[in-house]
Amino acid sequence: DSGVTQTPKHLITATGQRVTLRCSPRSGDLSVYWYQQSLDQGLQFLIQYYNGEERAKGNILERFSAQQFPDLHSELNLSSLELGDSALYFCASSVGSRLSYEQYFGPGTRLTVT
Amino acid sequence: TQLLEQSPQFLSIQEGENLTVYCNSSSVFSSLQWYRQEPGEGPVLLVTVVTGGEVKKLKRLTFQFGDARKDSSLHITAAQPGDTGLYLCAGFYNKFYFGSGTKLNVKP
């Protein structure tokens, strides 16, 4: 158990809908990272927040957004969902702000868009 | 196109055999990490290497970072069924780039 929690574990929704994924980092970690893992693209970095502020952006689509709240939990919002958004979404956390810090991954949310 | 290429993509071996997984790039990374991921779970960090030529050992696993910090290898001695999983390398260059992974199956 990494100490990172993610909810829900599974999510099934239709194209065009909007969903919110939630992540709670390990106790004491200030950085939260979001990743997407699909069969054809592997693990792709989406975005990083550090202590409530956006710190780095990766391959995040404009239809996706995220935020980190004062209690350090984070939410990833996915809108206008398409079939290709079906994937595993992972949250990771680390103690520091630099992307090179060791990251601890949560169990993931499996999103299925039908 | 992946910045980090892992090989082989799939590996199925018998318990007790040795194996090596490779992680190659044309880019220089300031650090490189190896993760192991089991189905339905998140990747679990195994090791971080930061110095060119660095070798780290974790029980039966030996990790090496290339001298030029462009490549890495993971060697497993006397593989066991519990080693089965997806092995991912991740290089840090402004952000983390993950390889596509090596699926290892160790048969009893």
Side-chain angles (χ1 to χ4, degrees), chain B residues 14-49:
Chain B
Q14 292 294 138
E15 182 176 0
E17 292 184 13
N18 301 331
L19 67 115
T20 302
V21 176
Y22 299 93
C23 177
N24 295 303
S25 177
S26 56
S27 299
V28 176
F29 295 101
S30 57
S31 67
L32 193 134
Q33 299 181 341
W34 284 93
Y35 293 81
R36 180 167 157 266
Q37 184 179 15
E38 296 195 35
E41 297 182 12
V44 175
L45 180 65
L46 296 174
V47 76
T48 300
V49 285

Side-chain angles (χ1 to χ4, degrees), chain A residues 14-66:
Chain A
T15 54
Q17 296 298 306
R18 173 190 168 95
V19 297
T20 298
L21 313 183
R22 183 187 168 103
C23 166
S24 291
R26 293 187 320 162
S27 177
D29 284 358
L30 298 178
S31 271
V32 168
Y33 311 78
W34 285 98
Y35 289 86
Q36 179 192 58
Q37 186 176 41
S38 58
L39 283 174
D40 57 345
Q41 293 287 327
L43 199 61
Q44 301 284 324
F45 168 68
L46 296 178
I47 196 163
Q48 180 207 3
Y49 278 81
Y50 174 75
N51 205 19
E53 300 287 329
E54 181 183 306
R55 185 56 63 102
K57 253 184 177 177
N59 304 324
I60 189 165
L61 299 172
E62 284 193 14
R63 299 183 287 110
F64 296 179
S65 65

